[in-house]
Amino acid sequence: NAGVTQTPKFQVLKTGQSMTLQCAQDMNHEYMSWYRQDPGMGLRLIHYSVGAGITDQGEVPNGYNVSRSTTEDFPLRLLSAAPSQTSVYFCASGTSGATDTQYFGPGTRLTVL
Amino acid sequence: QKEVEQDPGPLSVPEGAIVSLNCTYSNSAFQYFMWYRQYSRKGPELLMYTYSSGNKEDGRFTAQVDKSSKYISLFIRDSQPSDSATYLCAMSNTDSNYQLIWGAGTKLIIKP
């Protein structure tokens, strides 16, 4: 099992550009989520999904879109990148949301100039 | 005030010392308490999971929950340089709307 995979590992964008961060899991988990991690802020939830076709907003959803067409994939789209979106992004999956182990991917380091 | 407070450190201790990491929280409804370990430039991984109150031990690690004081702790015995990492606490309840509430993380450094 590969677990949770994320691509790319690193990305540099210019302000206003758009891009998609990819996340895939091979554990057949219904729950998937996206976090951003900034120094001193811990993990902040951007969006989450409780199954294919179902998504919802977390704590910091502005500027990001998600979709869940399959159980395995949960891409995160940055619509128009801003320097405030410079962060490390983690995707996670689990059998349930808040009450079970979350398995994290290796992260994507994004810099917006 | 944040729902979960955690001292960011860094906490630097000599090898072999007993380490105590702590989080305080404000929501008395929390029932599920977790400690995640995050090595530099890696994703977090679950270290300990406790439901409701009490202690849980796993090798050199002990997780303790005191719901009356809204306080959770992670103890590491005989600390090793390989324990150097950031430790994040997380908690929730069945009404959390699928969201874990995270502490900011404590950076731990074990000096050989």
Side-chain angles (χ1 to χ4, degrees):
Chain A
N1 282 359
V4 180
T5 58
Q6 290 183 240
T7 57
K9 285 188 169 52
F10 303 93
Q11 184 70 48
V12 179
L13 291 178
K14 294 181 180 177
T15 296
Q17 286 185 316
S18 63
M19 77 160 296
T20 300
L21 279 63
Q22 301 292 345
C23 174
Q25 52 94 6
D26 61 0
M27 296 174 282
N28 202 32
H29 287 158
E30 291 295 327
Y31 182 86
M32 295 185 74
S33 56
W34 276 101
Y35 289 92
R36 60 177 291 174
Q37 187 174 38
D38 302 292
M41 303 287 289
L43 289 165
R44 291 186 291 169
L45 184 66
I46 303 171
H47 285 285
Y48 66 93
S49 169
V50 298
I54 307 169
T55 64
D56 207 345
Q57 296 180 353
E59 180 186 357
V60 289
N62 291 344
Y64 308 94
N65 270 2
V66 292
S67 60
R68 184 100 178 266
S69 56
T70 67
T71 299
E72 294 77 20
D73 300 298
F74 190 44
L76 177 72
R77 283 184 288 277
L78 279 69
L79 309 172
S80 178
S84 61
Q85 293 179 303
T86 294
S87 188
V88 181
Y89 291 85
F90 289 101
C91 178
S93 74
T95 54
S96 66
T99 61
D100 204 354
T101 305
Q102 298 303 299
Y103 297 87
F104 284 82
T108 294
R109 292 183 172 271
L110 176 68
T111 301
V112 183
L113 302 175
Chain B
Q1 185 189 1
K2 291 182 181 178
E3 264 192 291
V4 178
E5 298 280 358
Q6 185 175 9
D7 188 330
L11 177 63
S12 183
V13 301
E15 182 177 354
I18 295 174
V19 175
S20 172
L21 303 168
N22 311 296
C23 288
T24 59
Y25 62 94
S26 56
N27 187 345
S28 59
F30 285 147
Q31 299 170 288
Y32 303 89
F33 303 93
M34 302 160 201
W35 286 96
Y36 281 78
R37 178 175 61 194
Q38 184 177 23
Y39 290 116
S40 180
R41 296 184 174 264
K42 301 286 187 185
E45 56 179 351
L46 183 69
L47 187 61
M48 298 288 282
Y49 181 111
T50 310
Y51 173 71
S52 194
S53 284
N55 291 0
K56 185 172 183 178
E57 189 172 320
D58 184 0
R60 298 185 294 109
F61 299 88
T62 299
Q64 196 170 76
V65 174
D66 182 348
K67 292 190 75 178
S68 62
S69 301
K70 299 194 190 76
Y71 189 87
I72 68 170
S73 300
L74 177 71
F75 298 97
I76 307 174
R77 290 184 300 280
D78 187 25
S79 56
Q80 303 295 310
S82 59
D83 296 327
S84 297
T86 296
Y87 290 79
L88 301 120
C89 63
M91 48 197 78
S92 66
N93 59 51
T94 51
D95 295 327
S96 292
N97 198 26
Y98 305 104
Q99 298 188 28
L100 279 169
I101 309 302
W102 294 85
T106 298
K107 184 172 183 178
L108 175 65
I109 301 168
I110 308 297
K111 297 175 294 185

